Amino acid sequence: MKQISLTIFLLCLYIFSPAGAQESSPAGCYISTGDNDWLWDSPPVQTKAAIEAVFDCLQKAHGVDRIYWRGFQSEYIADNYLVRPENFLYYGFWMWEKRLAKEIGTSRMAVQAAHDRGMTIWGYTALFDHGAQAASDAAKGIGPSPIEHNLRVKHPEYVPVDRYGIRRQSGPMEFAYPEVRRTLVDGFAALVEKGNYDGLMLYTYVEHLNIWFQDEYGFNDVIVEEFKRRYGQDIRTEVFDRHAWYRLRGEYVTQFLRELKDRLRQSGKRLGVAIDPQDTHYPAPWLCVKPRDFLVTGRIYLDWERWVREGIVDEIMVYCGGVTEAAINDALAVTKGTPCAVSTVRGPAFLPQHQHFAKAGVRNVMSGAYAEIERGCKEDQTGEALKGNDPLARMRALQQAAAGKMEVPAKDLIAALHDPNLLVRRQAIRAVVDRKEIAALPDIEAALDDAEHGVRCKAAEALATINGPESVLKVYGAIRKHGNFQFANAATSALANMPQERTVDLLKGLKDEHVEVRRVTANALGRGLRRPEARAVLLDAIADPDAEVRFYAARALVRFPGDAQVIAALIKGVSDPHPTVRSACAVSLGSLCRNSPQWLGQTDHDVVGALTGAFRSCTKDDDWTFRPIGNALLALGPRGKEALESCLAQRDDLILADHAWRILYVPVTGYACVMADEGKALPAYRYHPKLAPNPKPKLQNPKPTEPVQR
């Protein structure tokens, strides 16, 4: 759910919008709460006061009358998904999301705050993205894929599969199965009704990278049989009409939306779908993937014109990501004379040359970035605004001061750190940091104990720039008192980037009795400034009784290349009882010993032996650790590859052979799609143990496909 690229894109729209921009159409705001609950610089929505302050800004400064709230998705996931604790980072995040949704009740607060202000509020969630099998995300070395819909877990046959039945897709479920449609209709509609949302908006991109080539998935029995009934072709073995296949899969999406709309209509709730502006008939790309026309969902035809004609949808939202004008015009033409509305995700206002969209009633939807919301009112202010009663004016004045557009005495900036409005206090922290007001240090440290979580996170971040002899220890104290996932992340970033003179205090954190302090410290030592003094304490930490501390220590030790003790500790860690620690040690070894020569020294020999033994122990079909360990082996060079080829060639353990095939032929990194050419990828299947029961003693591997980096 981390849409940093979306935030940057829309922030640029804001920065470069001319001052004469106007807004006369309905206005909305998309609040991607997953991002807000992870990224501490995003507007805070974790408490009642924060939500109300944000909604006040949106309504008063921007005329927003509708919220698109992604907290709906977090609540749905909390109730319907498996969350894997082996992924320490994301498990912490999803437990934080569950606490916000179920204990604190932030979605309930948001719905109430919107309705109290005369606004409507729609839930916002994924049409196709329903989590992933454990191994899908394991290549990153941080653990298995963190979440997966319970229906995918119990019924993997509902997950789109390749033509050979070997690889299954990450994200979607196949809508051709009635139980998939029924489960999602029941779950979505029940939450819309229970949560008192006014509607539900569905987005179409998928946040996964485990796809080999564009048309890899979608060969489930139900699709194969229906296509053969209609067209007389077996899509697994014969040449066939790809576009007819895309449309067939899309028909089942239409049927799902039809069934969902019928259910929502019973309670008077509305339904919308966000379409891609560049190719409106296919799912939107995840903005983190390049090139943008590579769809990790696969190509599924979305007949949105039919949805409008049949009254299946009440709103078509033109999503962001490139030029949107043509798609908005198409949506206006199709919806003309129908009750279906049109909206678009853009900057905070339509530009002057786009006022015809405003006049046509297109709803402009802001992204909800801090530069939009926490700047306060639109008009420039004078220094007197800081003494006034309007928090929006005070926020704007502080923004101007931070940007050097207005002179404000340091004492007034520091005083604003104690403003009654939490958004003003956050903006004041930004201002004193940008101005490097060292005199503000005591007040920033005091803000670590602020009544509002969103202020505490900003205070921790600020201490990376403005800090003193007590700052590290004060951060540790705040972790003990206020620790949660988001604050721990903010504290980690701050500690990682504190100057070298704070290193002695920082290292004390790895000896702290409080486990969360040790976790944050170990994580921080693997990021930001490189601190040679950390080597000894990290070597101790890789034996910490807490597995998460060991995990972060193993990742941090990669910063000490050529160190025999570090290599020895990581080799020992490959046998750690916890799978995530084993994975981290393997990834670090793969990085430190990358591309070893054909003739190996004793250390290299030990590394190859340890990783080979660990890989051969991955004998269960659901053992996701084969991916990071196998990738580490492959990174070692010829000897590592030989070990993998040996695992592929044997037939005593078909699971082991399958794992080796995936490492050798499908080079997943976790940070990029492979994006192979289909004609070059398909021949690799001839070496899979399912299709090659009697392999040749020596395999001739085609050159692995190079992943395309983000």
Side-chain angles (χ1 to χ4, degrees), residues 48 125 254 319 333 405 431 484 585 603 615 673 692:
K48 183 174 184 291
T125 195
T254 295
Y319 194 62
K405 296 180 179 179
N484 58 49
C585 290
T603 298
F615 187 79
C673 285

Side-chain angles (χ1 to χ4, degrees), residues 160-181:
V161 68
D162 69 14
R163 69 186 70 205
Y164 300 109
I166 291 174
R167 279 170 45 87
R168 291 194 179 270
Q169 191 171 13
S170 303
M173 291 187 281
E174 191 59 70
F175 283 110
Y177 294 102
E179 187 175 351
V180 171
R181 301 197 301 272

Side-chain angles (χ1 to χ4, degrees), residues 221 406 456 530 706:
D221 290 345
M406 182 172 65
R456 296 195 293 267
R530 186 178 179 279
E706 291 295 329

Side-chain angles (χ1 to χ4, degrees), residues 604-651:
D604 296 312
H605 179 79
D606 292 344
V607 171
V608 171
L611 291 177
T612 301
F615 187 79
R616 284 184 170 273
S617 71
C618 301
T619 57
K620 295 182 179 179
D621 189 49
D622 61 350
D623 189 341
W624 52 269
T625 64
F626 84 87
R627 174 57 73 174
I629 296 171
N631 279 1
L633 259 178
L634 195 62
L636 297 183
R639 288 294 176 87
K641 187 177 180 182
E642 286 176 6
L644 291 166
E645 288 177 335
S646 175
C647 293
L648 175 58
Q650 57 80 40
R651 287 295 178 268

Side-chain angles (χ1 to χ4, degrees), residues 474-613:
K474 288 183 181 294
V475 170
Y476 287 156
I479 292 171
R480 298 184 195 101
K481 185 174 182 180
H482 302 293
N484 58 49
F485 174 84
Q486 191 172 29
F487 185 80
N489 269 1
T492 298
S493 178
L495 294 169
N497 292 288
M498 282 194 181
Q500 289 286 3
E501 57 263 33
R502 310 291 175 227
T503 299
V504 172
D505 287 332
L506 179 57
L507 298 185
K508 294 176 182 177
L510 275 181
K511 304 295 184 182
D512 200 274
E513 293 182 358
H514 196 287
V515 67
E516 191 60 36
V517 172
R518 300 202 306 277
R519 291 171 178 174
V520 166
T521 304
N523 192 0
L525 290 173
R527 300 163 55 183
L529 293 183
R530 186 178 179 279
R531 305 174 195 273
E533 307 95 321
R535 173 187 170 278
V537 291
L538 286 170
L539 284 171
D540 289 341
I542 205 170
D544 192 277
D546 179 71
E548 190 167 345
V549 174
R550 301 198 302 274
F551 164 75
Y552 285 120
R555 287 166 62 86
L557 283 171
V558 79
R559 310 183 95 181
F560 300 92
D563 189 303
Q565 280 189 283
V566 167
I567 298 295
L570 292 171
I571 289 174
K572 184 177 180 181
V574 171
S575 301
D576 192 276
H578 199 287
T580 312
V581 179
R582 295 198 297 272
S583 295
C585 290
V587 170
S588 291
L589 283 173
S591 179
L592 290 172
C593 304
R594 179 174 297 275
N595 294 323
S596 294
Q598 184 75 29
W599 298 102
L600 305 178
Q602 185 60 48
T603 298
D604 296 312
H605 179 79
D606 292 344
V607 171
V608 171
L611 291 177
T612 301

Side-chain angles (χ1 to χ4, degrees), residues 3-12 35 39 42 367-370:
Q3 295 172 281
I4 301 173
S5 57
L6 168 60
T7 303
I8 294 172
F9 173 79
L10 292 166
L11 181 56
C12 289
D35 296 305
L39 306 172
S42 293
S367 71
Y370 79 86

